[in-house]
Amino acid sequence: MSDDDSEVLITKVRELGCGKSGRCRFRFEHKEKKAKDKKKEKKMKGKKRMAVIIRNRITLEEEKRAKQLEKQAKKQEKKEKKRLKMEAERQKQLEEEARMKAQLEAIEMEKQKEREAKEEKKRKEREKMAAIKAELDQAEKKRAAQEAEREKQRAEAWVARMNAEADAKAEEKQKKEEEEVAKKKAAEEAAAERKKLFRTKSQVMAEEEEQRRQERARRQEEEFGCAIAGGFEKGDYVIAQNNMSVQGEIIVKKGTRGVVRGPSETDPQNRVSVAFDKREKAGYAQINVVHFEIKVTDAPLQKDPNVSELIEKIMTPRDARSKQVVNELEED
C-alpha cells in the first residue's frame, strides 16, 4: 500500500471513530479496498503484458519491415546495376554503330566520288560524241538538201514534160470531142428539121400541151414554191369523183363543185387544196384532197339579170294583175 493510501485510510478511521461498529466498517472497507487494489494491480499487469506484447510485435514488424526494406534496397541496387550495365552496353553498341556508320558513309562517299568521276567521264564522252554526231547530221542534212534539190529539179522537169504531153493530148481530145459534138448536133438538127416536116396534128398538140405544162409549172413554182399535183391550175373548176369522208362521215358528196386554190401545205406532191361549194358536215369547205379524187369541169353558168327577171315574171301566179304582167311582157 502506498503512503497516499495510508493517509486516506487514517483520515477515514478518524472520521468514523473508534467504536465497535466503526471497526467493522473499517475492516469491510479495508477488504473492499484490497480487492479493488488487487483488481487494479491485475489490470495494470494485463496492460503491462499487453504493452510488452505490442512492443514485441512492433519490434517484430519493424524488423520485418527493415528486412523487406533491405531486400528491396538490394533488389533496387541490383536493378540499378543491371540498368547501368545495359546502358553501358547500349552506349557501347551505339558507339560501335556510329563507328560502323561513319565507316560506311566514308565508303559510300568514296563510291559516290568514283561514280561522279565516271559520270563526268561519260558526260564528256557523250558531249564529244554529240558534237561529232551534230557535225555528221549537219553534213547529212546538207547532202540531203542538195539531193532533194536535184530530185526536185528532176521532178519539176518530168512534171513539166508530162503536163505538156497531157495538155497536147487534152487539146487533141477536146478538138475531137468538139468535132464529134458539132457533127452530132448537126445530125440532130437535121433530124429535127426532117421530123418537123412530117409531124402529125396530134404530135403538134402534144408539144404545145407540154410547153403549156412547163410554163404552168414554172409559174406555180414562182407563186407557191412547187407545182400543183395532178397538173391542175389555180382557179380551175373541179368536181368530186367520189364521196369524201373523214372518220367514216361524209363531208363532200360526189359531184360537188369546187375551185382549186393551190397545192396542199402538208403534202404538195400528192394533194390539192380545193374550196368546195358545199360541205355536208360543219367546217371549212376548203380541204386537201388527193389529185385523182377530183377532175376538171366546166365553169358554172353566169346569171343574166334580164333572164332571171323574165323567169320570175313567168313563174308569178295569175291574179288580178296578170293582165298588166302580159302587157309588160309584150312591151319587152
Side-chain angles (χ1 to χ4, degrees), residues 32-245:
E32 188 178 355
K33 180 66 175 175
K34 284 179 72 176
K36 287 181 178 180
D37 289 340
K38 285 181 179 180
K39 191 174 181 180
K40 188 176 181 180
E41 187 177 355
K42 189 176 180 180
K43 189 175 182 180
M44 289 297 294
K45 286 181 180 180
K47 286 182 178 181
K48 288 180 180 180
R49 190 165 51 252
M50 286 297 295
V52 171
I53 291 169
I54 290 169
R55 189 166 52 251
N56 292 335
R57 185 176 295 174
I58 290 170
T59 304
L60 290 173
E61 288 179 358
E62 288 177 354
E63 289 177 357
K64 188 176 180 180
R65 191 179 295 110
K67 288 180 180 180
Q68 288 179 354
L69 291 173
E70 186 178 357
K71 189 176 180 180
Q72 289 178 359
K74 288 181 179 180
K75 192 174 181 180
Q76 188 69 25
E77 185 179 358
K78 189 175 180 180
K79 285 183 179 179
E80 186 67 20
K81 287 181 180 180
K82 188 176 180 180
R83 185 182 65 78
L84 292 173
K85 185 178 179 181
M86 289 179 68
E87 285 183 357
E89 291 177 356
R90 179 64 179 169
Q91 186 67 26
K92 188 176 180 181
Q93 186 178 359
L94 291 173
E95 290 176 357
E96 185 67 21
E97 289 178 356
R99 186 177 62 80
M100 293 294 293
K101 187 176 180 181
Q103 290 178 358
L104 291 173
E105 288 178 354
I107 294 169
E108 187 66 27
M109 190 175 292
E110 290 178 359
K111 289 182 179 179
Q112 183 67 23
K113 288 180 179 179
E114 291 178 359
R115 284 196 296 270
E116 289 178 356
K118 289 180 180 179
E119 289 293 332
E120 183 67 20
K121 186 177 179 181
K122 288 181 180 179
R123 186 182 64 78
K124 289 180 179 179
E125 290 178 356
R126 285 196 298 270
E127 289 178 355
K128 187 177 179 180
M129 293 299 295
I132 295 170
K133 186 178 179 181
E135 292 177 358
L136 292 174
D137 291 342
Q138 189 69 22
E140 182 65 22
K141 285 181 181 179
K142 188 175 180 180
R143 186 192 65 77
Q146 293 175 355
E147 184 66 24
E149 185 65 25
R150 288 194 294 270
E151 188 67 25
K152 183 179 179 182
Q153 291 175 359
R154 288 196 296 270
E156 288 177 353
W158 180 81
V159 169
R161 186 172 64 254
M162 294 301 293
N163 288 336
E165 292 177 359
D167 292 340
K169 289 180 180 179
E171 289 177 0
E172 185 178 357
K173 185 177 180 181
Q174 185 177 3
K175 189 175 181 180
K176 288 181 180 180
E177 288 178 354
E178 289 177 355
E179 291 176 356
E180 291 290 334
V181 169
K183 289 180 181 179
K184 188 175 181 181
K185 187 176 181 181
E188 289 178 354
E189 289 177 354
E193 290 294 332
R194 288 194 301 272
K195 191 174 181 181
K196 285 181 181 179
L197 295 174
F198 300 100
R199 282 187 305 172
T200 62
K201 186 177 180 180
S202 61
Q203 289 176 343
V204 173
M205 292 176 65
E207 290 178 359
E208 292 176 354
E209 180 64 25
E210 181 64 22
Q211 290 177 359
R212 286 194 298 273
R213 188 189 65 78
Q214 292 178 359
E215 180 64 23
R216 183 171 62 249
R218 184 187 60 77
R219 189 171 60 255
Q220 291 174 359
E221 285 282 346
E222 292 177 356
E223 184 177 358
F224 303 110
C226 63
I228 300 174
F232 293 99
E233 183 74 21
K234 181 180 179 181
D236 285 348
Y237 287 94
V238 295
I239 59 172
Q241 299 194 79
N242 298 301
N243 291 334
M244 299 180 187
S245 59

Side-chain angles (χ1 to χ4, degrees), residues 240-300:
Q241 299 194 79
N242 298 301
N243 291 334
M244 299 180 187
S245 59
V246 175
Q247 296 180 356
E249 295 185 9
I250 297 174
I251 58 173
V252 176
K253 287 186 176 181
K254 180 180 179 181
T256 303
R257 192 191 306 273
V259 181
V260 176
R261 296 300 186 190
S264 171
E265 294 181 357
T266 57
D267 187 9
Q269 300 295 328
N270 300 311
R271 292 181 177 272
V272 182
S273 179
V274 180
F276 288 98
D277 296 341
K278 183 180 179 182
R279 180 168 175 167
E280 300 300 321
K281 189 178 178 182
Y284 294 105
Q286 184 170 335
I287 59 176
N288 297 324
V289 299
V290 184
H291 62 85
F292 56 76
E293 292 180 340
I294 56 176
K295 66 179 180 178
V296 178
T297 185
D298 296 331

